[in-house]
Amino acid sequence: MEHKTFYFKDGNIILRVKQDAARLVENTAQEPESSQQLQHSHILFRVHQSVLTLHSSIMTNILSIPEPALGSADRELVDGCDVIDLHDPLQDIEKLISALYG
């Protein structure tokens, strides 16, 4: 699912974050029939690699890891952008991106 604020059509990289347990419980309480779907939900942030690397040395390190070659089964693209899986809590990533795009 695309993030409601931080999914820029001109972004060139996708950050994928698992929806955290707190949100799962909150959403499940509101819509119990969708709990199975929510257990595997991800939030996608389509952002600009240049913004991430300009302001965050951690993101610079993460994004400097070489991607598999185009056409490789190990390379995942969404809307033509490379996908980076992050294992941080969703709220932390939202705060980071909000601060970067302030």
Side-chain angles (χ1 to χ4, degrees):
M1 179 166 74
E2 296 172 2
H3 190 274
K4 62 184 177 210
T5 305
F6 300 113
Y7 197 89
F8 302 109
K9 294 204 181 292
D10 65 339
N12 60 351
I13 194 158
I14 301 281
L15 304 178
R16 181 169 51 197
V17 182
K18 283 187 181 179
Q19 195 168 18
D20 66 353
R23 288 222 177 149
L24 288 175
V25 170
E26 175 185 315
N27 289 342
T28 303
Q30 293 172 5
E31 301 176 38
E33 67 280 356
S34 65
S35 63
Q36 288 289 10
Q37 177 186 358
L38 289 172
Q39 288 176 1
H40 303 289
S41 182
H42 289 86
I43 302 298
L44 303 177
F45 297 84
R46 185 173 179 173
V47 294
H48 306 91
Q49 184 171 345
S50 60
V51 173
L52 297 178
T53 57
L54 179 65
H55 299 290
S56 172
S57 61
I58 293 171
M59 291 306 294
T60 299
N61 291 339
I62 290 171
L63 297 173
S64 69
I65 299 169
E67 290 293 324
L70 277 174
S72 167
D74 295 329
R75 186 167 187 175
E76 185 175 357
L77 298 175
V78 171
D79 292 338
C81 299
D82 286 313
V83 176
I84 306 294
D85 283 307
L86 299 178
H87 303 285
D88 300 283
L90 177 61
Q91 291 85 356
D92 290 353
I93 300 302
E94 286 175 323
K95 288 176 187 175
L96 171 67
I97 294 174
S98 180
L100 295 178
Y101 282 89

